[in-house]
Amino acid sequence: MGDQRNMGCDDKLRPLVYQISFDKLLREYESMLDGDDPVLAARAKQVLDAQKPYPMLRDGFSDLELIKEHREVISLILQDSFSPILGENEIKVASIPYFDFFFNPSKRFQKIVKQAGPTYKPKIRNQEIGVDYIMGCIVILKFHYGVELDFSRPYFYDIPDSNGVMHHYRIMYNADFMEILPTDKSKELSEEDINELMESPDNLSLWQDKIPPDSFVAKGFIIANMFDVTSEHSISEIKSSLIASDKRSSDNFMENLQETFRSFFRLPDIKVGFVVYNAKKDQFEPVYGKNMTSFILNGKDSKPCHDALCNYSYKKLIQENSYFAISDVEKYNKTSNESDPYHVLEGQEIKSAILAPIAFEGELLGVLEVVSNRKNELNGVNARKLDDVMPFIVSAVVRSKVEEENLIDAIIQNECTSVHSSVYWRFQEEAKYFIKDQLESRSPSFKEIVFKDVYPLYGQIDIKDSSKARNKAIQRDLMIQLSQINGILEEVLAKNRLPIYEELVFRVKNHLDSIKEMLYTNSEQAIFDFVKDEIDPVFDHLKKTDAKIAQQIEAYEAKIDMGTGSYYDHRKNYDESVTMINKKLVSVLDKKQENAQGMFPHYFERYKTDGVEHNMYIGESISENGGFNSLYLSNLRLWQLQVMCEMENVHYKLKPELPIPLDATSLILVYSSSLSIRFRMDEKKFDVDGTYNARYEVIKKRIDKAYIKGTNERLTQTGKIAIVYSQKKDELEYLRYIKFLKSKKYFTDKIEIVELEGLQGVSGLKAIRAEILYKTDQESQESYTYEDLMATLKD
């Protein structure tokens, strides 16, 4: 029985007063007394006579202690409804609706509850707390007022067995012996009242007003028949778990799935794992996700299928896509002709296992692993149970594969193309038109995307004299390599004066002399070919004939980079220095760019060369919601100037840590006219559109090599930002920005205006060169807006 001793004594309001009564059942027996069947009449008289001394069993009662007191009489009254002959098989109890209370249980139900343990109390799983009042009212509307309502839903008991395996029982209620009777508190409801209740299913106060507490009596009892639906429930749970889109990131996905499989197989200690099949490499790989495991891999990143499986299981799983069960792993390893094909399972104390192929349209996608630490517990017979769940597993894996491919595409698009978030909306629009054309059987084409009347901003921080630094690094590496080759050959020549060795020494020295002063364009390739074709074969021969020389050659070869096939020390320092600079500068630019997008949406792209360059375009057509004003252009120009200074400061602080202390120069191009940009589908990037606008690209490509007019002095210099422009108004605008930022400790007082030597096809350019004030502290500089500038100018 439940803990509630009197169903009318708790504080909870209910529209129904519940009373246990056998009156309606006894009336059925009374009708049998006058029937034609003497056996039934005799049985009816026996039941009625047994009840007669206890009128409360007909009148009804709420005190549950009376159930215990009159247990034998109640058992006799219910004997035909609870046939003793079927009691060992039927799971059956008498009960009261919506109460975790039962009496007169069948023998099988008693056995099930006993196995669950002394502390277990059956509780209906999906009966919500707090809805019983309205649910009671709905019962009254249906059975007293005759309102046609379908409120039926499945109810379950979840009961563990003696091994702790959870079993699930569906409850089917028989309410033939229940009556709903009004009390003096009940109200007559009009059709309008009933409609009002139907329109307000959650308005508790309204329901309590129309159907007051204790206004009806639920008199009688119900019979709950239960059916073990553990397998069906487990299949449903597996299906629901696999449908979830966040399986891989869920902390408890695998734990819940393990429990579900244990209920499904009715085995308390089994475990499940998954492994992915890579058809191209014919190997197993892990499923990446929280707590995902594979017993075949046992922690390895991959394993060739022929190493993971025996020949027979390889054929079953890979070729035939059918189950493979090992009922005794230890015995199988001993009797197999192959050497311990499943030692990896034995090492994990796995005694029996089922490997089930996850295959779609004849293509193996992966393997489900079900394992046990008991031999014979998993076998070829119970492996067939998986037939009911494998379709859901296959469906989930196929969907996950598609989701993963989509995710990969999204990452590639995000990382490797120039479809910036600010213009993604236009690509979405065109993609929708493309899909519409496909659906309407028109020839779909992804139309070119053009943004008109946008203002460009360009900036770069370039590694100063990068070509010279790279050539110098190559030159030093080649000289070291040739010197080591020469040393080995000189020793070989001293031992054995063969003309061939003398000739090789001569050629090595010639190469050394040729690059001592300057590295020519073809020198690196010529020396590489010479070493590969002439030196390496000789060294291979010498390693076999002279042990001492072999040691020297091996020491030389240890310093040769496998990727380049040549000495790689100074070049490595140069490459690492460039990489460190680019990584630091890009991190600053990307972080600051997030804030800039919040000011006003604009297109942004950056790319790494020997340094970092960036392009920005801002204008009405780029913003999905419009609202562009020239103020946002001014704001972005000021932001760009600040960020360039901060990137210079980052390089300044990084320089002492570099393997080669490379210098950097900074440049900004100011372009006053608006232009159009077009997305080039062939190159997957934006480019300026039209011949007139091409002038901007010409300037952009050539200004970093520009000279001051009438001098041999380059425009870009270490420690200064060069701002190139052609209009006087641009000069005044940027002088204003520099004056403002100088007050914020970004620049020194050294500011100059210079005229540039004419570039090919371009003339009339000028530049402001402002000396940067480098910071010695590690604090990041504050960002200022155009409004800050205007406020300062007004002061």
Side-chain angles (χ1 to χ4, degrees), residues 219-461:
K219 187 177 179 180
F221 68 97
I222 60 173
I223 298 174
N225 291 278
M226 284 161 276
F227 305 91
D228 191 337
V229 293
T230 301
S231 294
E232 293 82 354
H233 181 274
S234 298
I235 291 169
S236 177
E237 286 291 296
I238 290 169
K239 182 180 178 181
S240 299
S241 299
L242 295 171
I243 285 172
S245 60
D246 60 346
K247 302 184 290 293
R248 295 187 184 189
S249 60
S250 172
D251 288 314
N252 55 4
F253 168 72
M254 279 304 295
E255 182 181 343
N256 292 342
L257 198 63
Q258 305 268 21
E259 287 300 321
T260 305
F261 265 92
R262 285 166 186 164
S263 292
F264 179 64
F265 277 96
R266 306 189 186 213
L267 298 171
D269 300 319
I270 63 170
K271 298 177 184 177
V272 293
F274 294 94
V275 68
V276 171
Y277 175 62
N278 185 330
K280 292 180 181 177
K281 296 182 179 179
D282 193 28
Q283 67 181 24
F284 290 132
E285 297 171 356
V287 177
Y288 294 106
K290 288 187 178 179
N291 303 318
M292 293 284 186
T293 188
S294 165
F295 304 101
I296 290 175
L297 292 178
N298 194 24
K300 289 189 175 182
D301 290 333
S302 64
K303 184 181 283 188
C305 292
H306 280 290
D307 292 347
L309 305 172
C310 63
N311 291 333
Y312 180 70
S313 59
Y314 183 92
K315 180 184 177 185
K316 295 282 285 183
L317 285 167
I318 311 295
Q319 297 173 356
E320 298 177 5
N321 295 162
S322 59
Y323 301 134
F324 176 69
I326 316 171
S327 56
D328 188 339
V329 172
E330 184 180 359
K331 181 181 176 183
Y332 188 87
N333 278 337
K334 287 179 180 177
T335 57
S336 173
N337 293 327
E338 301 163 66
S339 58
D340 295 346
Y342 290 104
H343 65 277
V344 67
L345 299 183
E346 255 191 294
Q348 299 169 75
E349 298 186 355
I350 293 169
K351 309 290 183 167
S352 59
I354 299 170
L355 303 180
I358 304 170
F360 180 69
E361 295 182 348
E363 176 189 353
L364 184 68
L365 306 176
V367 174
L368 167 69
E369 311 161 351
V370 187
V371 301
S372 169
N373 58 7
R374 293 186 177 92
K375 67 180 180 179
N376 300 319
E377 194 165 70
L378 295 170
N379 49 66
V381 176
N382 58 13
R384 305 312 309 178
K385 288 172 67 71
L386 290 171
D387 287 345
D388 296 324
V389 297
M390 289 310 295
F392 305 122
I393 294 174
V394 170
S395 177
V397 170
V398 170
R399 191 179 70 253
S400 291
K401 190 175 181 182
V402 171
E403 289 172 357
E404 187 172 84
E405 287 171 355
N406 291 341
L407 179 61
I408 289 169
D409 288 344
I411 291 170
I412 291 171
Q413 178 170 300
N414 183 57
E415 297 294 329
C416 307
T417 73
S418 299
V419 182
H420 189 255
S421 58
S422 62
V423 296
Y424 198 72
W425 62 275
R426 277 291 290 117
F427 288 83
Q428 286 180 314
E429 284 184 353
E430 287 303 325
K432 288 175 183 176
Y433 293 139
F434 187 94
I435 293 169
K436 184 181 178 183
D437 287 346
Q438 272 187 326
L439 294 173
E440 296 177 0
S441 300
R442 292 194 293 266
S443 297
S445 62
F446 205 94
K447 296 179 179 61
E448 287 189 320
I449 292 173
V450 179
F451 293 101
K452 295 182 178 180
D453 294 324
V454 295
Y455 294 90
L457 295 91
Y458 171 76
Q460 71 169 44
I461 292 186

Side-chain angles (χ1 to χ4, degrees), residues 631 634-635 638 733 736-737 740 784-795:
L631 169 72
S634 301
N635 207 57
L638 177 58
E733 180 180 352
R736 201 162 70 241
Y737 297 159
F740 170 66
Y784 300 98
T785 65
Y786 189 73
E787 288 84 350
D788 297 326
L789 167 65
M790 299 309 292
T792 302
L793 294 177
K794 288 177 183 177
D795 292 342

Side-chain angles (χ1 to χ4, degrees), residues 425-545:
W425 62 275
R426 277 291 290 117
F427 288 83
Q428 286 180 314
E429 284 184 353
E430 287 303 325
K432 288 175 183 176
Y433 293 139
F434 187 94
I435 293 169
K436 184 181 178 183
D437 287 346
Q438 272 187 326
L439 294 173
E440 296 177 0
S441 300
R442 292 194 293 266
S443 297
S445 62
F446 205 94
K447 296 179 179 61
E448 287 189 320
I449 292 173
V450 179
F451 293 101
K452 295 182 178 180
D453 294 324
V454 295
Y455 294 90
L457 295 91
Y458 171 76
Q460 71 169 44
I461 292 186
D462 193 34
I463 294 172
K464 190 174 187 298
D465 297 329
S466 58
S467 296
K468 288 183 181 178
R470 186 187 294 105
N471 286 342
K472 190 173 183 180
I474 294 170
Q475 181 187 27
R476 288 178 174 177
D477 281 344
L478 289 176
M479 289 186 70
I480 292 170
Q481 183 178 6
L482 290 170
S483 296
Q484 289 188 336
I485 292 171
N486 185 66
I488 294 170
L489 290 175
E490 289 277 12
E491 189 166 337
V492 171
L493 185 61
K495 287 184 176 182
N496 193 346
R497 298 202 64 85
L498 290 176
I500 185 64
Y501 296 143
E502 193 171 354
E503 192 264 346
L504 283 174
V505 168
F506 173 76
R507 291 171 66 187
V508 168
K509 289 180 177 179
N510 276 346
H511 280 300
L512 270 170
D513 291 339
S514 71
I515 62 171
K516 221 172 241 182
E517 301 298 327
M518 183 183 298
L519 185 71
Y520 295 97
T521 307
N522 64 336
S523 296
E524 183 181 8
Q525 187 62 47
I527 293 171
F528 177 81
D529 292 340
F530 167 66
V531 172
K532 181 183 176 184
D533 298 337
E534 307 287 342
I535 300 299
D536 288 348
V538 173
F539 279 6
D540 287 341
H541 166 71
L542 290 170
K543 280 194 293 184
K544 298 172 185 176
T545 58

Side-chain angles (χ1 to χ4, degrees), residues 190-200 206:
S190 66
E191 187 175 344
E192 185 179 340
D193 290 330
I194 292 171
N195 290 337
E196 188 178 356
L197 289 172
M198 294 298 95
E199 292 169 3
S200 307
L206 176 66

Side-chain angles (χ1 to χ4, degrees), residues 176-214:
D176 289 348
F177 304 112
M178 286 293 301
E179 295 178 280
I180 305 295
L181 305 171
T183 69
D184 56 1
K185 296 181 181 179
S186 65
K187 296 180 179 181
E188 284 299 321
L189 298 183
S190 66
E191 187 175 344
E192 185 179 340
D193 290 330
I194 292 171
N195 290 337
E196 188 178 356
L197 289 172
M198 294 298 95
E199 292 169 3
S200 307
D202 301 317
N203 189 340
L204 180 60
S205 60
L206 176 66
W207 286 83
Q208 288 178 340
D209 177 61
K210 302 291 184 187
I211 305 175
D214 302 338

Side-chain angles (χ1 to χ4, degrees), residues 567-774:
Y567 198 80
Y568 186 65
D569 183 22
H570 292 84
R571 271 177 290 183
K572 182 181 179 183
N573 290 338
Y574 172 82
D575 291 341
E576 286 182 357
S577 299
V578 171
T579 300
M580 289 172 67
I581 292 170
N582 286 349
K583 187 176 180 181
K584 279 283 188 180
L585 297 183
V586 162
S587 68
V588 173
L589 185 58
D590 287 350
K591 187 175 181 180
K592 295 290 182 180
Q593 172 59 202
E594 291 176 11
N595 296 331
Q597 287 294 336
M599 300 173 187
F600 190 83
H602 57 278
Y603 179 78
F604 169 81
E605 65 178 358
R606 51 89 177 151
Y607 38 96
K608 294 179 276 189
T609 53
D610 284 348
V612 177
E613 300 178 45
H614 66 269
N615 288 311
M616 295 185 288
Y617 299 99
I618 189 170
E620 182 81 18
S621 61
I622 283 181
S623 173
E624 185 175 7
N625 300 317
F628 176 73
N629 186 286
S630 59
L631 169 72
Y632 297 117
L633 172 61
S634 301
N635 207 57
L636 195 59
R637 284 177 168 177
L638 177 58
W639 171 88
Q640 182 189 37
L641 188 57
Q642 290 180 76
V643 172
M644 292 288 284
C645 288
E646 292 186 32
M647 291 168 74
E648 276 275 4
N649 267 275
V650 166
H651 173 261
Y652 176 78
K653 292 168 189 171
L654 178 66
K655 189 176 174 180
E657 302 173 20
L658 299 174
I660 299 177
L662 299 170
D663 288 321
T665 60
S666 295
L667 179 146
I668 289 174
L669 172 61
V670 184
Y671 201 78
S672 293
S673 302
S674 65
L675 44 76
S676 296
I677 57 173
R678 180 185 300 271
F679 188 78
R680 294 181 57 178
M681 297 299 293
D682 54 344
E683 295 186 12
K684 302 289 186 240
K685 58 174 285 191
F686 276 101
D687 216 341
V688 295
D689 188 37
T691 307
Y692 174 76
N693 294 329
R695 181 174 182 270
Y696 171 72
E697 288 293 336
V698 172
I699 297 172
K700 207 167 71 172
K701 289 175 182 176
R702 294 175 181 170
I703 49 172
D704 64 326
K705 302 293 191 294
Y707 288 88
I708 305 299
K709 192 171 186 178
T711 72
N712 291 323
E713 183 185 342
R714 289 279 287 269
L715 166 65
T716 54
Q717 286 189 354
T718 304
K720 296 179 180 180
I721 288 183
I723 304 163
V724 178
Y725 60 92
S726 61
Q727 305 290 322
K728 184 67 177 178
K729 65 183 181 67
D730 296 329
E731 177 185 303
L732 296 175
E733 180 180 352
Y734 273 85
L735 286 174
R736 201 162 70 241
Y737 297 159
I738 291 169
K739 183 179 179 182
F740 170 66
L741 291 177
K742 189 172 72 171
S743 71
K744 304 298 182 183
K745 312 296 185 186
Y746 279 79
F747 294 107
T748 70
D749 292 330
K750 293 183 180 178
I751 298 163
E752 59 182 329
I753 296 173
V754 296
E755 191 173 344
L756 303 188
E757 198 73 65
L759 302 172
Q760 185 179 349
V762 180
S763 60
L765 294 178
K766 299 178 74 175
I768 302 169
R769 288 201 302 196
E771 187 178 64
I772 300 162
L773 180 62
Y774 292 104

